[in-house]
């Protein structure tokens, strides 16, 4: 008769974080075997069981006792905190079994029941410090040569892994954490965020946010896990956060990704990937092995060099809101900014979009501005699109245009929003076909709201008002944009918003007749 051996990870310590499978295994067991302190943590779940609790360094005898009882036909649980497969009992149980020639077919039944490891439970209390490639390193040199641990810390530091240090310090082992700090400071800034979590989800839980240089000023002990951020980890409102990716995409106003979700994974938008930003080219079709070797060579070359965090800088560039002429010097500045790898795109809306990979966008921004170029963010922001005011001859509306650009240009909104300004009743730059259009005529402005800019059912904006006094127009548009920013649904274009709410700034929505065509999603 053969029994069953469960190796159970019971998570950080609170019953809420023990899986149902683990609870059931404990319930079904005749024997529960583990380290004394852990027995206390799971006491309510093991009432009435045969309990074998041993001291901390008696793992081998625990594993042997468990195997022995299972071989007698009993159901036995060996418990580990966190996950039993992470510096826990799982490997040891298999080692004892392998030693005596056990096999899966005829031997006792073994099931490893996963639990929440300290790296996960502690991370959840800190915020989101793991997020990217991370590793665990145990600083305990009882069973592992210190030289090897040192090499692992060094390698993880050089490769910019987020690092969770287990067993960081005990009464007698106090130097290891100091050594770890010294090694990591070779690769990381002293300001690197560090989170210390003691007794996660247990009675005496403590969470401390500190930095790589100051972490030793705090209490670190046997029940602490030390989480060290990578080069991009930051603190925000008492939380420790590692961004999901390295390469951010800059716009001028914010650092989040201006690309829509379906655009983000296109090869040209990921120049940092192994494919180098090329779609299915001859290059990427080369045998994988060759590519792998290339990547390896690159890694070898960069070994020990701190990783450079590159970002995509993207901006709409123009000679001004009013001026429509680029000077040759400006075009030179633009092409220098793009460099060998960048792109300059001419869009359907008369914008030139510069996109280039940089580690710091500031010098490019300064250079383009020095050349007299106007830079505007790209994405879901307000853009002011004006006519040339007949090359400046019909100049009355120019100050209001510039004021709008100053006040509203670049503001984030639920969906890109273009405000068209035309300086005379000819409206030859098509202000009535923008999300919001104003046309200066006889000393005052006409207002058009909610054009549908694209598609075969495109239509002009609703003509909602005429003769708005010039000094009233900027505050009025500001109120409209702010209302839309506040109440528009994410990704809801202004025309849809206007239709949904029915009234904006006291102006009523009216249906615009559109041709009766079947709507087509993009790409069909
Ligand atoms: N098997 C366990 C790890 C055991 S090694 C797991 O997967 O989590 C013991 C180390 O784990 C401790 O020194 C500490 O660094 C970490 N640890 C375990 N439980 C913890 C908890 N509740 N809070 C903080 N750290 C913990």
């Amino acid at each position: 008769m053969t029994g069953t051996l469960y190796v159970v990870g019971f998570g950080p310590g609170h019953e809420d974080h023990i899986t149902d499978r683990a609870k059931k295994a404990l319930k079904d067991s005749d024997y529960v075997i583990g380290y004394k302190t852990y027995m206390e943590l799971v006491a309510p779940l093991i009432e009435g069981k045969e309990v074998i609790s041993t001291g901390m360094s008696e793992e081998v005898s625990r594993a042997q006792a468990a195997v022995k009882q299972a071989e007698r036909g009993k159901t036995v649980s060996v418990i580990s905190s966190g996950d039993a497969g992470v510096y826990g009992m799982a490997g040891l149980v298999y080692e004892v079994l392998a030693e005596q020639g056990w096999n899966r077919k005829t031997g006792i039944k073994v099931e490893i029941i996963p639990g929440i490891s300290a790296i996960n439970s502690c991370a959840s209390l800190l915020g989101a410090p793991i997020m990217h490639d991370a590793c665990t390193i145990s600083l305990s040199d009882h069973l592992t040569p210190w030289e090897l641990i040192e090499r692992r810390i060094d390698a993880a530091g050089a490769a910019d892994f987020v690092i969770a240090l287990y067993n960081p310090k005990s009464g007698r082992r106090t130097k290891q954490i100091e050594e770890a700090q010294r090694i990591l400071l070779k690769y990381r800034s002293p300001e690197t965020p560090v989170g210390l979590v003691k007794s996660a989800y247990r009675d005496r839980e403590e969470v401390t946010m500190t930095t790589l240089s100051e972490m030793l000023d705090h209490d670190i002990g046997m029940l602490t896990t030390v989480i060290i951020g990578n080069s991009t980890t930051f603190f925000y409102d008492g939380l420790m956060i590692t961004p999901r990716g390295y390469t951010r995409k800059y716009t001028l106003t914010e650092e989040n990704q201006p690309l829509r979700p379906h655009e983000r994974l296109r090869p040209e938008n990921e120049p940092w990937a192994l494919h180098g930003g090329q779609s299915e080219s001859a290059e990427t079709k080369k045998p994988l092995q060759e590519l792998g070797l290339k990547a390896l060579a690159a890694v070898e070359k960069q070994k020990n060099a701190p990783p450079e965090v590159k970002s995509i800088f993207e901006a709409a560039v123009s000679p001004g809101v009013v001026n429509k002429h680029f000077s040759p010097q400006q075009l030179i500045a633009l092409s220098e900014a793009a460099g060998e790898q960048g792109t300059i795109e001419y869009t359907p809306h008369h914008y030139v979009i510069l996109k280039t990979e940089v580690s710091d966008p500031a010098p490019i921004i300064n250079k383009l501005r020095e050349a007299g170029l106007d830079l505007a963010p790209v994405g879901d922001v307000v853009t002011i699109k004006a006519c040339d005011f007949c090359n400046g001859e019909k100049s009355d509306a120019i100050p209001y245009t510039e004021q709008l650009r100053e006040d509203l240009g670049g503001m984030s909104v639920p969906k890109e929003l273009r405000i068209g300004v035309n300086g005379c009743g000819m409206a030859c730059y098509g202000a009535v076909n923008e999300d919001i259009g104003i046309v200066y005529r006889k000393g005052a402005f006409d207002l058009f709201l909610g054009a549908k800019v694209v598609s075969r059912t495109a239509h002009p904006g609703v003509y909602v008002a005429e003769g708005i006094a010039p000094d009233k127009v900027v505050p009025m548009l500001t109120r409209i944009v702010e209302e839309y920013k506040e109440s528009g649904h994410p990704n809801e274009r202004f025309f849809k918003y206007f239709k949904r709410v029915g009234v904006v700034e006291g102006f009523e929505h009216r249906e615009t007749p559109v041709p009766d065509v079947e709507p087509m999603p993009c790409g069909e």
Side-chain angles (χ1 to χ4, degrees):
M1 186 165 71
T2 59
T4 300
L5 180 48
Y6 295 121
V7 189
V8 182
F10 63 81
H14 193 282
E15 199 187 321
D16 286 356
H17 294 112
I18 305 181
T19 65
D20 282 349
R21 181 73 196 113
K23 284 181 186 165
K24 185 158 187 308
L26 292 176
K27 195 163 159 248
D28 293 346
S29 292
D30 304 307
Y31 280 88
V32 179
I33 300 179
Y35 169 46
K36 278 197 262 350
T37 317
Y38 297 165
M39 291 301 185
E40 286 154 27
L41 283 169
V42 295
L45 295 170
I46 58 172
E47 267 170 35
K49 308 279 170 196
E50 288 282 349
V51 169
I52 305 178
S53 67
T54 57
M56 187 155 90
S57 52
E58 294 161 62
E59 286 111 341
V60 179
S61 53
R62 245 178 276 155
Q64 284 165 338
V67 169
K68 204 156 103 196
Q69 294 302 338
E71 279 171 349
R72 286 192 185 149
K74 302 288 184 196
T75 300
V76 183
S77 281
V78 183
I79 61 170
S80 276
S81 73
D83 182 80
V86 181
Y87 315 116
M89 290 297 291
L92 210 47
V93 164
Y94 278 131
E95 280 181 75
V96 168
L97 287 168
E99 184 73 19
Q100 55 191 58
W102 167 87
N103 69 62
R104 295 169 76 175
K105 218 168 169 185
T106 59
I108 55 165
K109 185 175 163 262
V110 178
E111 181 180 336
I112 312 288
I113 298 172
I116 302 171
S117 187
I119 186 173
N120 303 113
S121 55
C122 296
S124 71
L125 293 169
L126 291 167
I130 305 298
M131 275 327 280
H132 212 278
D133 299 337
C135 66
T136 66
I137 299 178
S138 167
L139 294 192
S140 167
D141 52 1
H142 288 310
L143 300 169
T144 312
W146 175 249
E147 206 180 56
L148 180 61
I149 299 174
E150 228 176 9
R151 266 174 39 208
R152 289 185 180 162
I153 301 169
D154 195 275
D160 208 31
F161 278 92
V162 174
I163 304 169
L165 296 176
Y166 283 58
N167 301 308
K169 195 173 167 185
S170 70
R172 276 180 297 147
R173 283 188 309 102
T174 55
K175 284 268 170 274
Q176 286 77 353
I177 186 76
E178 292 171 22
E179 275 299 292
Q181 181 200 42
R182 185 188 59 77
I183 297 168
L184 292 173
L185 279 169
K186 286 201 293 184
Y187 303 103
R188 294 194 197 170
S189 145
E191 300 307 315
T192 304
V194 169
L196 310 175
V197 182
K198 188 174 178 184
S199 299
Y201 299 101
R202 295 185 194 168
D203 280 349
R204 279 186 283 276
E205 174 184 291
E206 268 174 45
V207 178
T208 309
M209 304 287 181
T210 176
T211 59
L212 188 53
S213 63
E214 288 175 3
M215 66 181 199
L216 298 182
D217 303 343
H218 301 271
D219 179 31
I220 296 178
M222 292 251 287
L223 289 172
T224 311
T225 297
V226 177
I227 298 190
I228 296 162
N230 70 16
S231 60
T232 67
T233 305
F234 60 94
F235 283 131
Y236 174 81
D237 197 18
L239 297 169
M240 180 175 168
I241 301 166
T242 300
R244 180 65 185 77
Y246 272 78
T247 304
R248 291 190 292 269
K249 296 176 185 175
Y250 282 105
T251 75
L252 289 175
T253 48
E254 51 198 331
E255 286 188 2
N256 66 8
Q257 303 197 18
L259 297 175
R260 288 163 195 82
H262 71 280
E263 292 171 333
R264 289 188 189 137
L265 293 177
R266 285 185 192 154
E268 64 270 29
N269 290 328
E270 297 184 323
W272 55 82
L274 182 59
H275 54 55
Q278 311 288 313
S279 27
E280 276 283 280
S281 64
E283 177 74 359
T284 50
K285 282 181 189 154
K286 275 188 193 167
L288 262 181
Q289 200 186 7
E290 202 175 312
L291 272 176
L293 288 176
K294 246 170 114 180
L296 244 183
V299 170
E300 285 293 320
K301 228 170 72 191
Q302 286 195 354
K303 233 185 197 170
N304 299 344
E308 193 182 2
V309 180
K310 287 232 170 177
S311 307
I312 299 293
F313 170 71
E314 193 177 29
V317 182
S318 73
V321 230
V322 175
N323 178 23
K324 305 295 173 211
H325 297 88
F326 281 103
S327 72
Q329 288 74 21
Q330 287 174 332
L331 288 177
I332 290 169
L334 185 60
S335 60
E336 278 173 3
E340 299 260 314
Q341 307 295 330
T343 58
I344 300 172
E345 179 193 352
Y346 186 60
T347 75
H349 299 289
H350 302 211
Y351 303 124
V352 168
I353 309 264
L354 166 71
K355 221 191 243 187
T356 181
E357 202 181 352
V358 288
S359 38
D360 174 14
I364 288 192
I365 294 174
N366 290 342
K367 228 168 147 187
L368 293 171
R369 287 202 169 132
E370 270 165 30
L373 287 164
D374 196 79
L375 300 184
V378 180
D380 290 327
V381 293
V382 177
T383 313
I384 312 297
K385 189 178 165 189
C387 68
D388 67 354
F389 301 89
C390 294
N391 278 326
E393 274 172 36
K394 295 185 176 165
S395 63
D396 293 353
I398 292 178
Y400 307 104
T401 312
E402 283 175 344
Q403 192 62 46
L404 281 172
R405 189 190 162 282
E406 188 73 24
D407 293 356
L408 301 178
M411 182 192 278
S412 331
V413 276
K415 187 77 190 168
E416 60 179 329
L417 178 89
R418 277 190 292 276
I419 301 181
V421 187
N422 282 189
C424 78
M426 294 290 288
C428 64
Y429 270 72
V432 303
N433 291 320
E434 302 294 358
D435 298 290
I436 297 176
I438 52 173
V439 176
Y440 188 76
R441 188 173 59 89
K442 295 188 186 156
F445 284 99
D446 295 343
L447 175 63
F448 299 80
L449 289 182
K452 187 176 183 190
V453 180
V454 294
S455 98
R456 291 175 308 146
T457 55
H459 57 72
V462 183
Y463 182 32
V464 292
E466 63 175 348
I468 301 168
D471 60 338
K472 299 274 184 314
V473 84
V474 176
M476 181 183 280
L477 292 201
T478 305
R479 287 193 300 270
I480 294 175
V481 172
E482 274 170 356
E483 177 195 319
Y484 166 60
K485 179 184 169 82
E486 188 65 30
S487 313
H489 297 154
N491 273 326
E492 183 178 46
R493 269 209 97 106
F494 183 75
F495 82 89
K496 278 199 180 151
Y497 171 73
F498 189 22
K499 195 169 167 178
R500 175 167 68 81
V501 297
V503 180
V504 165
E505 182 68 18
F507 301 124
E508 251 175 69
H509 179 264
R510 294 193 307 275
E511 286 296 341
T512 312
V514 289
D516 185 16
V517 291
E518 195 190 336
M520 285 283 175
C522 189
E524 288 202 16

